[in-house]
Amino acid sequence: MFKKYFPYARCKSVFDIDYEELYAEGIRALIFDIDATLVPHGDPCTPRVEELFGRTHEIGFKTLILSNNSAQRIEAFIKNIDTKFIELADKPRPGGYIRALEMLGEPKENTLVIGDQLFTDVLGANRCGIRSVLVDFLLKEGETKLGKKRKLELFILKFCNCKDFSVKETKDGKKKLL
């Protein structure tokens, strides 16, 4: 029943993912959500996010922002990032995900969706057969109240036995996905 909401993997933050390891494993395209994934809802882009996209591009990834936001919001967010985007994506419906694969020119097997919501990012990716990484949602500073949807997500995740994509240091001092 809940399986359609289960991500392929989980990670604390987009900054904790080992992108070099993903590339070595054959992933070539990354589809990101914006709000509560890269920054708290409605916040502008940060230098750290810009650096993340620069680093992923240096590794060789193609990137795309897939968002239910307007083009105006996304264009303002990516003004210093060279990435494609799809606005008003109507997630979790498959159309935006299929269009993203076409725009990236990569098959679903080489693509990874990174987002913060089970009911949009993960469900949409699963409907299209694309692997997804669920990151912990970002709250605005001082924000503590969780909505009903977030509480339901936390309940569903209790049943999820997915990979932990967090970067951890091994005994020999190397960092890897464990």
Side-chain angles (χ1 to χ4, degrees):
M1 178 175 158
F2 293 132
K3 193 165 178 116
K4 64 184 174 185
Y5 300 109
F6 291 172
Y8 172 73
R10 290 183 67 188
C11 193
K12 180 111 180 106
S13 160
V14 296
F15 303 108
D16 293 328
I17 296 171
D18 186 335
Y19 294 96
E20 288 86 358
E21 182 72 22
L22 289 176
Y23 196 84
E25 291 178 9
I27 300 297
R28 297 294 182 261
L30 303 170
I31 300 173
F32 288 93
D33 178 45
I34 294 178
D35 288 324
T37 298
L38 295 168
V39 295
H41 188 80
D43 280 8
C45 193
T46 65
R48 191 171 183 204
V49 170
E50 291 171 2
E51 288 172 20
L52 173 69
F53 273 82
R55 195 174 107 233
T56 60
H57 293 156
E58 284 176 11
I59 293 168
F61 287 107
K62 299 173 187 176
T63 61
L64 183 138
I65 300 285
L66 183 66
S67 176
N68 288 341
N69 279 303
S70 68
Q72 182 180 4
R73 161 74 171 132
I74 301 168
E75 287 169 346
F77 187 84
I78 64 168
K79 70 180 178 184
N80 296 321
I81 299 172
D82 181 22
T83 191
K84 298 175 181 188
F85 71 90
I86 297 174
E87 79 279 3
L88 304 173
D90 200 22
K91 295 185 290 184
R93 295 180 189 261
Y97 294 85
I98 293 166
R99 188 166 160 227
L101 292 172
E102 292 168 356
M103 288 173 68
L104 290 164
E106 291 292 337
K108 61 186 175 185
E109 296 81 15
N110 296 357
T111 305
L112 190 69
V113 171
I114 302 169
D116 68 291
Q117 289 192 50
L118 293 181
F119 300 118
T120 55
D121 306 309
V122 173
L123 177 58
N126 286 345
R127 285 178 170 173
C128 296
I130 306 170
R131 289 178 285 179
S132 62
V133 175
L134 179 72
V135 296
D136 291 353
F137 53 88
L138 299 172
L139 296 172
K140 290 188 175 285
E141 192 172 325
E143 187 178 8
T144 59
K145 187 175 179 187
L146 296 181
K148 292 176 185 173
K149 188 167 66 170
R150 290 292 187 191
K151 289 177 182 175
L152 183 55
E153 286 179 336
L154 293 172
F155 173 77
I156 290 172
L157 286 171
K158 289 180 182 181
F159 300 98
C160 179
N161 186 20
C162 58
K163 291 184 179 186
D164 179 2
F165 258 25
S166 298
V167 177
K168 297 186 175 122
E169 207 163 300
T170 61
K171 290 180 182 179
D172 61 0
K174 293 182 181 178
K175 292 184 177 181
K176 67 181 273 184
L177 296 173
L178 296 175

